Amino acid sequence: MKLLKEKIRQDALILDNSIIKVDSFLNHQMDIHLFNEMGKTFRDYFGWGVQKIVTCEASGIGIATIVAQYFGCDVVFAKKEASSLTDDNFHTAPVYSYTKQKESLFRIDKRFINEGDQILIIDDFLANGEALSGMISLVEQAKAQVMGIGVAIEKGFQNGGQMIRERGYNLKSLVIIDEIQNNKLIFRE
Amino acid sequence: MKLLKEKIRQDALILDNSIIKVDSFLNHQMDIHLFNEMGKTFRDYFGWGVQKIVTCEASGIGIATIVAQYFGCDVVFAKKEASSLTDDNFHTAPVYSYTKQKESLFRIDKRFINEGDQILIIDDFLANGEALSGMISLVEQAKAQVMGIGVAIEKGFQNGGQMIRERGYNLKSLVIIDEIQNNKLIFRE
């Protein structure tokens, strides 16, 4: 996606040749015009039939709500709990965060995903795929269908994207960064 | 706001005569059509001139992003950190949560609120006003101006709304619940 690439080129900060900071437009301050363009791109790619969008707190929520407008559907976001206490009313999945170096528990109330629902999963970043795997698990525990997975930025030099595609999911990353060389980003064409 | 009141009457769960659960449309599953109607109502009330919306993670983010479309502006959300470590790059404010019975630290990168910015603060719930006070503090530390504060649901039987209004802020709550009697909600007219 051209606009997102331009935005990354202009505004992303690169730290230590491995960390890409996009907090000025994606996951702290949020560029609503850009999110709308992302919504159009996802709609063109995934087409119709999405009945609900699933995302996770916190930075997925803004993108997911704007994207939902292009599918005419609602959003449910997985809550991240520090505790590992399970509760029969929730689907739960343990998710390890490499950034925060700790495990948390994703949970969604069972009332909000129904058997057979056609679900689009949306998130801001894909690196190791831990968060996406957690969301896929929540959807499939509910016997709903993962119609597709839409991600703003995939770090192609980590293995999450490959792992998700090999599992057979229809994954669309708007931008894939394959490498960081001397603090310069190499995009996949 | 009529639609929000109807939605609350239909779908809210009332627990122990004091807790109002609106997770089926406001803060877990999110009703995007409703959020758009909320956006229109806030725009009609606050008029033009809003340059940025400030909210806090997690459940404020969805509402804020949709509302931002009606003001043609971007959103920045305060992050909640468990630690009380301060960092010179951030405005910070300690916020006590009565629900979770613990204090967290709200923080916003100093790059994202500028002196003189006209800010609209948006949140889903107003009870004791702790979260709003934290966000007001962040905005005012940046020498920006709180143009207004928009809240979906105010619990009129707690003191946050009165406190915020007495401090002189232009607070608009879309619905105010004044009382819960025998598990029935009494709205302020």
Side-chain angles (χ1 to χ4, degrees), chain B residues 114-126:
Chain B
N114 297 308
E115 190 173 337
D117 278 352
Q118 297 189 297
I119 304 282
L120 174 62
I121 294 173
I122 292 285
D123 210 359
D124 57 339
F125 254 102
L126 166 53

Side-chain angles (χ1 to χ4, degrees), chain B residues 4 7-8 11 22-26 29-31 34-35:
Chain B
L4 181 56
K7 200 79 187 157
I8 295 170
D11 292 335
V22 288
D23 60 353
S24 66
F25 57 93
L26 199 73
Q29 184 164 247
M30 304 189 292
D31 181 330
L34 175 69
F35 287 11

Side-chain angles (χ1 to χ4, degrees), chain A residues 23-24 27-32 36 52 57-58 61-62 65-66 69 73-77 109 111-112, chain B residues 23-24 27-32 36 52 57-58 61-62 65-66 69 73-77 109 111-112:
Chain A
D23 60 352
S24 65
N27 49 20
H28 183 15
Q29 184 164 248
M30 304 187 292
D31 181 330
I32 305 300
N36 272 282
K52 195 167 284 181
E57 65 181 24
I61 299 175
T65 47
I66 300 290
Q69 297 180 128
C73 69
D74 289 340
V75 175
V76 56
F77 65 86
D109 194 302
R111 292 175 295 151
F112 304 141
Chain B
D23 60 353
S24 66
N27 50 20
H28 183 14
Q29 184 164 247
M30 304 189 292
D31 181 330
I32 306 300
N36 272 283
K52 196 167 284 184
E57 63 179 24
I61 298 174
T65 46
I66 299 290
Q69 296 180 126
C73 70
D74 289 340
V75 175
V76 57
F77 65 87
D109 194 302
R111 292 175 294 152
F112 304 139

Side-chain angles (χ1 to χ4, degrees), chain A residues 63-140:
Chain A
I63 300 169
T65 47
I66 300 290
V67 170
Q69 297 180 128
Y70 293 90
F71 293 94
C73 69
D74 289 340
V75 175
V76 56
F77 65 86
K79 301 188 176 197
K80 285 180 194 167
E81 304 288 335
S83 92
S84 59
L85 279 179
T86 52
D87 174 330
D88 274 355
N89 298 316
F90 291 83
H91 296 296
T92 59
V95 172
Y96 185 78
S97 164
Y98 288 88
T99 320
K100 300 191 174 170
Q101 299 197 2
K102 64 176 183 190
E103 189 173 278
S104 62
L105 196 72
F106 277 23
R107 56 185 221 166
I108 287 185
D109 194 302
K110 289 181 180 173
R111 292 175 295 151
F112 304 141
I113 310 184
N114 298 307
E115 189 173 337
D117 277 353
Q118 296 189 295
I119 304 283
L120 175 62
I121 294 173
I122 292 285
D123 209 359
D124 56 340
F125 254 103
L126 167 53
N128 296 287
E130 282 284 315
L132 284 186
S133 293
M135 288 188 271
I136 290 169
S137 165
L138 296 175
V139 171
E140 296 185 342

Side-chain angles (χ1 to χ4, degrees), chain B residues 13 49 71 78 100 102 108 135 141 155 169 175 177 179 184-185 188:
Chain B
L13 300 176
F71 293 94
K100 299 190 175 171
K102 63 177 185 193
I108 286 184
M135 288 188 270
Q141 285 173 50
K155 290 175 167 178
Y169 294 102
V175 163
I177 296 169
E179 226 179 310
K184 241 186 119 280
L185 301 170
R188 190 175 302 176

